[in-house]
Amino acid sequence: FGPSNQGGESAGRQQRPPSEAQGPMQVARSIPVLDTFTPGAVLELGFGDLSRLEPGVDEYDLLVVSAFPGDYAAVPGTLIGALARNKALSIGQLAHDKDPADDLRQAFGCWLSKPVDPKKQVGFKRLLCFERGRQLLQRGAPAAIGGVFRAVIAAAAETESLVIPLLATGNQQAVPPMIMLAASVAAAVHWMQNGLELRRCTIIVFSPSAKVDLKMVRCFEEAVEATLNRPGAGKARAALLAPDAPLPGSAVQGGGGGGGAVDHADL
């Protein structure tokens, strides 16, 4: 996917109506996901800036970012760059300081940071960096999004709350946002029902003012409905794929309000 871009992430929280900015992030929809390992699990759609999360308000166990292998440059217009600018958080330093046991790049293309210094007030406890950027970009981001969630299972299976940007839709404009959102929803629901014990998963669409895009909200709702109603959804408890298993490949077709249909066979 390349460096995570800002174009790309509650239970117990009052849902805000779509409106103008109300802070760094607002959750527009929170939908229960049934047949998961964690009762009460929800999948959310939010709008805002992940580099401006408010500790105590927007608090997550894990933030997912993506990068080209070994490239943590604070490029303007990327999430890595925004975290450096707004939170003085260096992803390169987190990479340098990581525990060797949390370096899973060989098997899963990712590494997990040590707990972030609470003084940074970043709004998340740890960061997972997914580094199969160039390889996955060649295959297409929607086909690869399932690999991100598999990496989370491998590196941080105990995670209860996760926030992830809408990948590959910012500076690169590699994928239309609605298509990427539909693919992200399909992968999130699939893995929440098949091994990822999340209580809360939030997908964030970058919006500097946290303004809600109603077309994206409709796309999210339609994608969740289509995924939950697919044949066999939630019936099986899939075992974690072997580290050397091929990356997931899902075909995304068409456009329209729902962002296209996703083939769930290889999520």
Side-chain angles (χ1 to χ4, degrees):
F1 302 134
S4 288
N5 44 64
Q6 283 282 26
E9 302 70 24
S10 74
R13 175 187 297 187
Q14 184 176 1
Q15 187 166 294
R16 303 167 182 166
S19 65
E20 297 292 332
Q22 299 186 25
M25 186 181 84
Q26 65 167 313
V27 173
R29 289 293 183 270
S30 182
I31 298 179
V33 180
L34 303 179
D35 297 313
T36 67
F37 286 78
T38 306
V42 295
L43 179 62
E44 300 178 330
L45 176 68
F47 295 83
D49 184 343
L50 284 172
S51 72
R52 298 183 182 276
L53 295 179
E54 295 180 339
V57 178
D58 306 308
E59 198 75 50
Y60 291 88
D61 291 336
L62 191 69
L63 167 68
V64 177
V65 303
S66 66
F68 290 139
D71 184 357
Y72 316 115
V75 177
T78 68
L79 179 52
I80 289 176
L83 287 169
R85 182 178 65 254
N86 297 328
K87 298 291 188 180
L89 184 68
S90 168
I91 307 306
Q93 191 63 49
L94 290 179
H96 179 271
D97 295 342
K98 66 182 176 295
D99 190 317
D102 291 326
D103 187 349
L104 302 178
R105 286 176 293 179
Q106 192 75 17
F108 289 96
C110 70
W111 54 267
L112 181 67
S113 75
K114 290 181 178 179
V116 177
D117 184 351
K119 294 179 182 178
K120 294 286 187 181
Q121 296 190 321
V122 294
F124 54 89
K125 296 176 182 177
R126 302 177 82 177
L127 178 144
L128 181 109
C129 186
F130 193 71
E131 290 196 14
R132 283 181 170 168
R134 287 189 177 90
Q135 178 185 358
L136 298 184
L137 193 57
Q138 290 172 355
R139 298 194 57 195
I145 188 66
V148 175
F149 288 93
R150 285 201 288 153
V152 173
I153 296 176
E158 74 286 354
T159 299
E160 292 188 358
S161 59
L162 176 151
V163 63
I164 183 171
L166 200 58
L167 300 169
T169 59
N171 282 357
Q172 295 168 321
Q173 291 293 311
V175 183
M178 287 190 179
I179 290 180
M180 195 63 210
L181 178 57
S184 299
V185 166
V189 170
H190 174 82
W191 286 108
M192 289 173 76
Q193 293 180 329
N194 292 283
L196 192 56
E197 299 185 19
L198 286 177
R199 173 181 54 83
R200 178 188 183 197
C201 178
T202 310
I203 301 170
I204 288 293
V205 177
F206 176 64
S207 172
S209 64
K211 183 179 180 180
V212 171
D213 183 331
L214 292 178
K215 291 183 179 179
M216 294 296 285
V217 172
R218 285 194 293 272
C219 173
F220 175 78
E221 292 173 336
E222 292 171 6
V224 171
E225 182 178 3
T227 303
L228 291 176
N229 291 336
R230 74 184 187 275
K235 302 295 184 182
R237 298 297 190 213
L240 177 63
L241 294 178
D244 58 353
L247 292 171
S250 55
V252 181
Q253 303 173 338
V262 178
D263 181 358
H264 303 271
D266 296 314
L267 288 173

